[in-house]
């Protein structure tokens, strides 16, 4: 199936253009074969793929200590503990409940740990008056959270799947986001954080795989966050809960157990609205967030293997609203090229906003059209999910088009 997907993607992209960063004589097209490889699916050719092989995760204490980004945050010398993303999120909520007596955690089935077990043990430790189940009503969960937050409580609500956040849309968009504005600053719902598992998991189909972040990124008064790993999930969630604005915190559920790191023990925060440069580069800027980061990492590895001399800068936005346009613009002014990727459908997706913003800021420095690599404009499929996903192969093709334009 993947071979057919790759061949379909590469047809029609075989033209040569103006001189580029790719040196002459180098193989240019991913449909070329490599007889020395045991895996002749192009352009992968045996490259270790996916989260389990990622070089971005800090799996050892030494990796934490070497990380320049963690050094900047003052976390590189902290004591650490091995955690997956689910455990890191649980740890963040445990810290909040222990340090903030006004904090409560609630949602469908959270008292026994939730369907993904992110709240396991919290009710036993802090009591069922602070960690409790709600009826199956997303609108009610959001409305109840707004009421708690408006009275000074710290409300951490869980919507069981992001696909089911839409019944709560009116409460989040028309009430939580506007509460401070319509009361002239007298009241606010800044103590509300809505956690929700999102994105593809391999078998979720159209009701358990969606990425609806762009719906909320259109709303003044909200913050929208999506982490890529356990360290980021814990630090960003603590920042989100303590931020004085309502936050929608999307958690890529495929990473709950597949992403494992040595996570700093204790209380720490990672700033919101601050992108992270995961890999420096000179020739093309590649931007994503959440689980998509790992597909981008693989695409960059294939590009830099196949096109000697080309280097890609990888940026994780982390916060989608308000997002860090300055970091992306500085990178694009240096590289002259931009590729943006996310799982949500391409049409009206967040990549369109970022592409428009960077085009305005960096137009005279752009060397090629901005590329978007996104989910297809169809309901999220089940058996055809591999065709829908903005995988490493599709991202590879987009970076190649940008470099060879």
């Amino acid at each position: 199936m993947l071979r057919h997907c790759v061949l379909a993607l590469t047809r029609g992209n075989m033209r040569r253009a103006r001189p580029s960063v790719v040196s002459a004589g180098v193989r240019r097209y991913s449909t070329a074969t490599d007889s020395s490889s045991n895996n002749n699916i192009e352009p992968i050719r045996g490259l270790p793929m996916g989260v389990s092989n990622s070089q971005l995760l800090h799996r050892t204490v030494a990796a934490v200590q070497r990380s320049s980004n963690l050094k900047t945050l003052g976390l590189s010398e902290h004591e650490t503990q091995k955690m997956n993303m689910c455990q890191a999120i649980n740890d963040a909520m445990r810290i909040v409940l222990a340090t903030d007596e006004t904090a409560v955690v609630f949602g469908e089935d959270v008292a026994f740990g939730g369907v993904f077990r992110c709240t396991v043990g919290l009710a036993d430790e802090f009591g069922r008056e602070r960690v409790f189940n709600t009826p199956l009503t997303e609108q009610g969960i959001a409305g109840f959270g707004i009421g708690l937050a408006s009275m000074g409580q710290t409300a951490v609500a869980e919507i069981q799947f992001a696909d089911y956040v839409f019944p709560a849309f009116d409460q989040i968009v028309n009430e939580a986001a506007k509460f401070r504005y319509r009361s002239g600053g007298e009241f606010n719902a800044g103590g509300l954080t809505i956690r929700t598992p999102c994105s593809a998991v391999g078998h979720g189909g159209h009701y358990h795989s969606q990425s609806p972040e762009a719906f909320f990124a259109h709303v003044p008064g909200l913050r929208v966050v999506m982490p890529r790993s356990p360290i980021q999930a814990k630090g960003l969630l603590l920042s989100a809960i303590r931020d004085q604005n309502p936050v929608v915190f999307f958690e890529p559920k495929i990473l709950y157990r597949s992403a494992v790191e040595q996570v700093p023990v204790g209380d720490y925060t990672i700033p919101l609205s601050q992108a992270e440069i995961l890999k420096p580069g000179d020739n093309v800027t590649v931007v994503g967030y959440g689980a998509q980061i790992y597909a981008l990492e693989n695409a960059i590895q294939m590009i830099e293997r196949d096109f000697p001399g080309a280097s890609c800068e990888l940026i994780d936005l982390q916060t989608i609203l308000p997002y860090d346009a300055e970091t992306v613009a500085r990178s694009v002014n240096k590289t002259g090229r931009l590729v943006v990727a996310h799982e949500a459908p391409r049409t009206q997706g967040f990549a369109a906003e970022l592409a428009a913003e960077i085009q305005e800021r960096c137009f005279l420095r752009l060397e090629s059209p901005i590329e978007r690599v996104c989910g297809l404009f169809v309901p999220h499929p089940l058996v055809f999910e591999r065709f829908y996903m903005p995988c490493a192969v599709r991202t590879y093709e987009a970076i190649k088009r940008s470099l060879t334009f």
Side-chain angles (χ1 to χ4, degrees):
M1 180 184 293
L2 182 57
R3 181 196 296 268
H4 295 159
C5 179
V6 174
L7 291 175
L9 286 166
T10 54
R11 289 189 185 118
N13 292 325
M14 306 296 284
R15 71 179 180 86
R16 297 184 183 269
R18 296 197 294 268
S20 69
V21 298
V22 182
S23 59
V26 176
R27 182 178 66 79
R28 290 177 178 268
Y29 304 117
S30 65
T31 49
T33 60
D34 182 353
S35 59
S36 65
S37 175
N38 293 326
N39 181 359
N40 63 0
I41 296 177
E42 291 290 343
I44 298 171
R45 291 188 284 120
L47 181 75
M49 304 285 282
V51 180
S52 61
N53 295 296
S54 175
Q55 299 175 20
L56 300 175
L57 293 172
H58 301 89
R59 295 188 178 88
T60 66
V61 174
V64 172
Q65 293 172 342
R66 288 194 305 267
S67 170
S68 59
N69 287 320
L70 294 181
K71 286 179 182 178
T72 301
L73 294 169
L75 299 175
S76 61
E77 299 300 325
H78 275 218
E79 179 188 354
T80 64
Q81 181 178 343
K82 184 178 180 181
M83 296 184 191
N84 60 33
M85 200 167 90
C86 177
Q87 293 167 325
I89 289 167
N90 179 283
D91 194 37
M93 287 186 282
R94 177 174 284 105
I95 289 170
V96 167
L97 288 164
T99 58
D100 180 356
E101 62 182 13
T102 73
V104 293
V105 174
F106 55 94
E108 297 161 13
D109 302 320
V110 302
F112 77 84
V115 294
F116 293 105
R117 316 304 288 168
C118 287
T119 55
V120 69
L122 297 181
D124 294 335
E125 184 174 351
F126 297 100
R128 293 181 180 269
E129 290 185 351
R130 298 185 67 196
V131 182
F132 51 88
N133 293 335
T134 66
L136 200 161
T137 166
E138 288 80 11
Q139 183 181 25
I141 292 169
F144 178 70
I146 292 167
L148 281 175
S150 69
M151 297 305 294
Q153 299 283 117
T154 298
V156 183
E158 179 182 301
I159 302 295
Q160 200 166 83
F161 288 90
D163 312 61
Y164 297 115
V165 75
F166 298 111
F169 196 76
D170 176 66
Q171 288 292 320
I172 298 169
V173 170
N174 275 335
E175 305 301 334
K178 298 176 174 63
F179 210 1
R180 179 180 284 115
Y181 175 79
R182 73 186 180 94
S183 69
E186 188 173 354
F187 304 104
N188 68 81
L192 173 63
T193 301
I194 297 176
R195 298 178 39 251
T196 185
C198 69
S199 306
V201 71
H203 53 263
H206 58 289
Y207 284 144
H208 297 86
S209 304
Q210 296 177 70
S211 299
E213 66 274 5
F215 288 95
F216 298 98
H218 188 66
V219 182
L222 292 180
R223 286 190 183 271
V224 181
V225 181
M226 190 184 297
R228 71 171 187 277
S229 74
I231 292 174
Q232 272 66 36
K234 179 179 174 179
L236 289 170
L237 181 56
L238 284 167
S239 290
I241 292 171
R242 293 163 176 168
D243 190 79
Q244 291 306 301
N245 296 282
V247 180
V248 184
F249 193 89
F250 289 102
E251 301 166 4
K253 54 187 173 288
I254 199 170
L255 300 180
Y256 275 149
R257 284 164 180 80
S258 62
V260 179
E261 289 186 302
Q262 290 289 334
V263 178
V265 171
D267 195 339
Y268 69 89
T269 58
I270 293 176
L272 302 180
S273 298
Q274 184 173 307
E276 182 178 349
I277 299 175
L278 300 177
K279 177 190 173 301
D282 297 321
N283 302 123
V284 58
T285 301
V286 183
V287 179
Y289 48 84
Q292 186 62 29
I293 288 294
Y294 301 102
L296 303 186
E297 178 191 20
N298 291 149
I300 288 171
Q301 290 168 341
M302 292 187 289
I303 283 289
E304 294 183 349
R305 175 201 63 196
D306 293 350
F307 301 108
S311 65
C312 307
E313 185 147 291
L314 177 59
I315 297 177
D316 179 5
L317 280 182
Q318 302 189 118
T319 303
I320 300 164
L321 182 72
Y323 66 98
D324 184 359
E326 287 74 21
T327 294
V328 179
R330 282 196 300 269
S331 177
V332 174
N333 278 329
K334 175 181 66 175
T335 67
R337 299 171 177 85
L338 175 62
V339 176
V340 192
H342 55 62
E343 283 188 26
R346 171 187 170 98
T347 304
Q348 307 297 327
F350 186 74
E353 156 63 25
L354 184 57
E357 180 71 20
I358 296 305
Q359 183 273 145
E360 290 179 2
R361 292 183 181 224
C362 308
F363 181 75
L364 295 177
R365 302 298 296 270
L366 289 173
E367 299 289 343
S368 65
I370 296 172
E371 293 276 351
R372 289 179 289 159
V373 188
C374 309
L376 303 181
F377 192 57
V378 297
H380 197 107
L382 181 60
V383 296
F384 295 121
E385 181 175 275
R386 290 178 71 183
F387 292 101
Y388 170 92
M389 293 292 289
C391 62
V393 173
R394 287 176 57 194
T395 307
Y396 173 95
E397 296 292 334
I399 298 173
K400 184 177 68 176
R401 285 193 300 271
S402 184
L403 290 172
T404 60
F405 179 78

